[in-house]
Amino acid sequence: MDRRIRLLTLDESDATPLYMQLARKLTAAIEAGQWLAGEALPSERTLVDTLGISRVTARRALQVLDEEGTILRNRGQGTFIAPRFAQPLSNLGNFSEMVRPKGFVPTSEVIDTQRREPSHEECVALGLRPNDEVLSLTRLRKADTTIVSLDRSTLPVGVLSDVNEMGDSLYAYLDRIGKPVLRAVQHFRAAIATAELSRQLSIEAGEPLLLVSRVGYTHGEVAVELTKTWCINDYYDFVVELKR
């Protein structure tokens, strides 16, 4: 028997329902790193045969983890540990630097670009005039094939005039042209998935999201990017260290 599964043995004398015991034990094992993000979790059949529980108990336990966003269930492929990424708020890092250490391949799919006049919010954030031009690009952020967020970045055309110039990473591009983001101000607020966001992120309309708005500054405190990121809550942990 797999040692990890043996540790999931349930206590029938405990008043807690068996499916909830199993859900809690699985969650604790995942948080302890016994199963890693992207790794397959034991199937319902394996849990039933190994632990001597009913199929209903196994199914309900996995349903709890599914609803909590701990696992991903792919029909015909199995049940996998959902990716979850910790982003320290004290460090200015990019998406790739957050995803790669977890063993996932980061990808960005550009789904829309617009060259246009800035909105009032963009004028204020980027220090632009209403008749200036900006380039706005919308990207799906993925860990392997799992969509984890949607970015909408807006930059003055003097910084980026053609998305084909950028390559795979916006921040790497800004580094190359000598306008690296040295400081950023971020704001966090709750959001709800609109019909458009639900289609883009492949989630249900009305699902809660975390909206992160960031203004990035380069040399001379010049604002070079305004990025809004709609994060699927299941995949993100924002971490801040406080000292006294």
Side-chain angles (χ1 to χ4, degrees), residues 1 11-12 20 60 75 78 94 107 147 170 187 195 222 231 240:
M1 182 192 301
D11 182 0
E12 294 190 2
M20 188 56 69
R60 292 185 69 184
R75 187 179 298 276
N94 59 33
T107 58
I147 298 172
L170 174 60
H187 294 270
V222 175
C231 304
V240 60

Side-chain angles (χ1 to χ4, degrees), residues 60-217:
R60 292 185 69 184
L62 293 176
Q63 183 179 350
V64 170
L65 269 62
D66 190 19
E67 292 173 350
E68 293 176 345
T70 304
I71 60 174
L72 298 172
R73 308 181 82 172
N74 298 323
R75 187 179 298 276
Q77 298 182 32
T79 301
F80 299 86
I81 309 304
R84 196 161 186 90
F85 306 108
Q87 187 173 36
L89 296 181
S90 56
N91 296 334
L92 183 56
N94 59 33
F95 181 75
S96 296
E97 292 170 342
M98 180 180 69
V99 171
R100 287 191 189 280
K102 293 288 187 177
F104 291 87
V105 176
T107 58
S108 295
E109 177 187 348
V110 178
I111 60 174
D112 184 56
T113 61
Q114 296 180 31
R115 184 163 172 166
R116 55 173 173 76
E117 293 183 349
S119 66
H120 175 71
E121 179 187 13
E122 292 163 348
C123 285
V124 173
L126 298 172
L128 301 175
R129 296 168 297 186
N131 60 344
D132 287 334
E133 278 192 297
V134 295
L135 184 70
S136 175
L137 61 148
T138 303
R139 295 171 290 171
L140 280 179
R141 300 292 209 165
K142 300 179 182 180
D144 289 344
T145 59
T146 301
I147 298 172
V148 298
S149 62
L150 181 140
D151 276 4
R152 184 166 296 139
S153 298
T154 304
L155 301 94
V157 293
V159 176
L160 179 63
S161 59
D162 185 343
V163 69
N164 293 318
E165 301 171 357
M166 185 183 72
D168 295 331
S169 169
L170 174 60
Y171 274 26
Y173 165 78
L174 293 173
D175 288 344
R176 288 198 306 273
I177 67 171
K179 296 182 179 180
V181 173
L182 302 176
R183 182 178 75 86
V185 176
Q186 294 192 141
H187 294 270
F188 299 79
R189 67 180 178 87
I192 295 294
T194 61
E196 181 182 15
L197 283 170
S198 69
R199 176 181 56 80
Q200 293 167 326
L201 291 167
S202 297
I203 58 177
E204 295 292 329
E207 184 168 323
L209 299 169
L210 180 66
L211 173 58
V212 182
S213 300
R214 179 179 68 249
V215 179
Y217 299 86

